[in-house]
Amino acid sequence: MRLLLVRHGQSEWNAARRLQGQADIGLSELGKSQADTLRPVIEGIAPCRTVASDLKRVRQTSQHLGVDTPRLSKGLREIDVGDWTGRAIADIRKEDEEGYQGWRAGTAVPPGGEPWSDFADRVSAAIEDERREPCTNLLVVCHGGVIRALLQRYVGLQPAHIIPVAPASLTALRLGNGKSPRIELFNYRPDDLDFGAPD
């Protein structure tokens, strides 16, 4: 099975550099355009089915990718950032740079937030549920943290060693066939590179 992991397009809070976690924020106009740009790539691969986070920014991205009725999963929601929800990243870093960097590395938890290990367990369980049904190319429309968690669980990349996942980018993992899981593609966008993606 190949996992086609797509992060949602830029959201209104991504544009404002605010942490979202599980807040239900919609796409910005740029985010919609980013997803539209990725659509021909996804259509060319022709996924056998699609599973997606149930949050608005992901549902909207799915629609712009041409998927009107994905299977929705709460298990694929972004990590809960607790008291940091809605806060400007710059303000969090000014108050607690060490805590912020620890959170990015998966070693610290925001006040009231979800521990990285619990998050990774939740996300990988959702994918393992999907793997019970045969599918060559499974499209997973989700969040940057979800993709980073799956890279950790399947190929051993620790969060501290993974750059933020770009909005409306495609990452592909190959699972099964008697071989170790492999990364086939990371952070692909058909129109440009994005080395400064938002959290």
Side-chain angles (χ1 to χ4, degrees):
M1 174 183 280
R2 176 181 290 114
L3 299 182
L4 303 167
L5 306 171
V6 173
R7 183 186 181 186
H8 61 79
Q10 183 196 69
S11 72
E12 296 287 354
W13 282 12
N14 289 149
R17 305 298 271 191
R18 295 169 65 189
L19 282 188
Q20 300 169 110
Q22 296 186 6
D24 206 9
I25 309 303
L27 294 180
S28 66
E29 289 305 311
L30 175 58
K32 294 172 185 175
S33 175
Q34 290 169 334
D36 288 338
T37 300
L38 189 59
R39 180 175 179 158
V41 175
I42 299 303
E43 289 178 338
I45 298 171
C48 50
R49 70 176 184 275
T50 302
V51 61
S53 161
D54 63 340
L55 296 180
K56 183 177 182 181
R57 57 193 181 272
V58 174
R59 295 193 323 268
Q60 289 178 323
T61 298
S62 297
Q63 291 168 353
H64 282 269
L65 292 174
V67 181
D68 292 325
T69 55
R71 181 181 297 177
L72 300 179
S73 171
K74 290 182 180 180
L76 294 174
R77 286 184 178 186
E78 183 59 282
I79 193 168
D80 185 345
V81 295
D83 293 352
W84 288 358
T85 302
R87 296 199 56 208
I89 294 171
D91 291 344
I92 296 168
R93 296 184 69 174
K94 189 174 181 180
E95 288 177 14
D96 187 6
E97 177 69 17
E98 184 177 343
Y100 177 79
Q101 294 303 332
W103 170 72
R104 290 288 304 138
T107 59
V109 182
E114 183 178 16
W116 177 266
S117 60
D118 293 354
F119 169 61
D121 286 346
R122 166 168 64 81
V123 167
S124 54
I127 294 300
E128 288 303 306
D129 283 346
E130 291 297 324
R131 291 183 70 190
R132 292 190 180 104
E133 293 181 44
C135 181
T136 302
N137 292 306
L138 175 65
L139 178 59
V140 181
V141 188
C142 55
H143 306 270
V146 169
I147 295 170
R148 293 169 68 237
L150 293 173
L151 288 171
Q152 180 193 36
R153 285 300 168 96
Y154 287 116
V155 298
L157 280 174
Q158 296 304 311
H161 300 291
I162 307 171
I163 63 171
V165 179
S169 67
L170 172 62
T171 294
L173 295 179
R174 177 66 68 86
L175 307 178
N177 298 331
K179 297 180 181 178
S180 297
R182 294 174 291 167
I183 300 172
E184 293 186 315
L185 191 66
F186 178 70
N187 247 5
Y188 172 74
R189 291 176 66 181
D191 57 343
D192 66 352
L193 297 174
D194 188 345
F195 293 113
D199 290 312

